[in-house]
Amino acid sequence: EVKALGSATSTQRTAAQLEDARFHTENPGIFLSRNYRSFAMDSRSIADNARLMAMLWVAHGDVGIACFETKYFYNYWRPFSAITLADTDGNPATTAETTWTPVVPTPNHPEYPAAHMCQNGAAAVILREFFGTNQVSFSFSSTVTNTVHQYATPDAMVDEILVARIAGGMHYRNSGAQGGVLGANVAKWIVANHFKPKL
């Protein structure tokens, strides 16, 4: 799937998938700071906005630790290495494609689990739990594509990112799915144990 969709020369990737892949390559530290800000600038009280921002950023910090500890424990190679060096992996079912390159730059840390999915899987849970519903619409912008993506739900954002990382040639589907699970589990623990609303 990654070999077919994520290649720089892919004929199977759609224009929308390429847009999504590029959209989510902005530096996450800048991307999230700018886009989370909208949740602190609405009509809720300052206390409610502060609580939501605290939940999002604590989840961001905690899931980052869990995600990168997992990355360096398993130390999986990226598609860029796995596809071009497949003749050295000891698996007779794989074939090397030495000229394969991903359509967008590959981050310089291990592949599994997908960090974007760890982070956004956590954020999706935080938003659902804070608002008490999955029907939370919001938009994010990217300075890479200079476009705005509208999401009807937090789950819609996560679904987009999962495919974006595959179509970008950076991650396998399982790494995205498991990153989302890791993020969701971290966020659920945070919600269960901290940041209770004042009664």
Side-chain angles (χ1 to χ4, degrees):
E1 182 181 35
V2 180
K3 189 175 182 179
L5 285 182
S7 167
T9 59
S10 174
T11 58
Q12 297 182 31
R13 183 182 53 245
T14 67
Q17 288 171 332
L18 178 59
E19 153 72 17
D20 291 348
R22 293 186 64 244
F23 184 90
H24 292 286
T25 60
E26 183 180 350
N27 180 320
I30 298 168
F31 178 85
L32 293 175
S33 297
R34 183 183 65 254
N35 285 300
Y36 281 177
R37 187 179 302 132
S38 65
F39 293 113
M41 301 175 67
D42 65 10
S43 60
R44 291 185 312 276
S45 70
I46 292 174
D48 283 343
N49 286 339
R51 178 172 163 260
L52 175 56
M53 296 307 290
M55 292 170 75
L56 284 168
W57 286 113
V58 167
H60 175 76
D62 286 357
V63 81
I65 293 167
C67 192
F68 275 82
E69 182 176 320
T70 305
K71 279 180 177 288
Y72 284 97
F73 178 83
Y74 288 103
N75 203 29
Y76 281 13
W77 55 0
R78 293 276 184 169
F80 178 76
S81 298
I83 293 168
T84 59
L85 300 172
D87 56 342
T88 68
D89 65 6
N91 182 352
T94 60
T95 304
E97 189 174 316
T98 58
T99 59
W100 189 91
T101 55
V103 68
V104 297
T106 295
N108 62 348
H109 48 75
E111 191 272 338
Y112 174 89
H116 274 65
M117 288 295 291
C118 292
Q119 170 56 48
N120 290 288
V125 168
I126 295 296
L127 292 172
R128 285 197 304 266
E129 293 294 327
F130 180 84
F131 289 105
T133 178
N134 194 44
Q135 301 305 306
V136 180
S137 64
F138 57 97
S139 61
F140 278 2
S141 65
S142 173
T143 59
V144 174
T145 57
N146 293 313
T147 56
V148 175
H149 288 197
Q150 182 70 35
Y151 305 107
T153 66
D155 289 345
M157 173 189 64
V158 172
D159 292 344
E160 176 183 287
I161 294 168
L162 175 63
V163 176
R165 304 311 274 177
I166 296 166
M170 295 167 282
H171 282 292
Y172 312 110
R173 183 173 294 274
N174 182 64
S175 300
Q178 293 306 312
V181 169
L182 189 156
N185 287 340
V186 168
K188 287 173 185 174
W189 188 91
I190 289 169
V191 168
N193 292 279
H194 299 287
F195 302 109
K196 300 298 182 186
K198 187 175 181 179
L199 300 176

